[in-house]
Structures are given as C-alpha cells and as structure tokens.
Amino acid sequence: VYKLSPTASGTAWKEKYLVLARGYLVLCDKKGEEKNGKALNLTQVQSVVPVPKSNAKKEGVMSLNTLQGKSMWLQAPSKKEM
C-alpha cells in the first residue's frame, strides 16, 4: 500500500507494507520487516472507509480510523485490491 505521510514540503505517498499477524496490523517500510514495524492492535480500529476521489485526488484510497480519533490514509495498489 501507499501511506500519505508528512514531508518538509507538505505530504507525499510513501510505499509501505501491511501485515496482519496475531491480532495486530503491522505497518513496515520494507517487505519482511514486521519486527521493526509499527503495530496497531485490531481492537483499536474503529473503521476503514473509502475516501472519495474528490478528497484524496487518487483512486483506491481508504481511511483507517482508530478509537483514539486518529486516522491514516492508505492507497491500495489498485481499486480491485481495495
């Protein structure tokens, strides 16, 4: 997937890998590096919803929302994989 991330000049889409393991969603920079990734307990996920193209400016974008009120925009490699 691609994650919308802050940069010095605004925001940019950066390639990331998502792994679902033992009740956690792990976000890592490289494939196979789950041990170094950021883990989110699935019990903390409130919803995952599509983001309209008019807002995201791209196809296949979804927002992962947590119970703590945080959100993360992720883009699927294709709309079919969303």
Side-chain angles (χ1 to χ4, degrees), residues 38-58:
K38 294 180 183 177
L40 174 65
N41 191 311
L42 291 177
T43 62
Q44 298 303 307
V45 176
Q46 182 177 27
S47 62
V48 178
V49 296
V51 177
K53 184 179 178 186
S54 59
N55 291 5
K57 310 292 188 256
K58 290 183 171 272

Side-chain angles (χ1 to χ4, degrees), residues 11-43:
T11 57
W13 291 96
K14 297 188 178 184
E15 186 174 37
K16 300 289 182 178
Y17 293 87
L18 287 177
V19 178
L20 186 60
R22 297 180 296 283
Y24 287 87
L25 184 63
V26 182
L27 184 70
C28 10
D29 292 332
K30 295 181 181 176
K31 191 173 186 176
E33 291 191 355
E34 297 85 27
K35 292 180 182 177
N36 298 326
K38 294 180 183 177
L40 174 65
N41 191 311
L42 291 177
T43 62

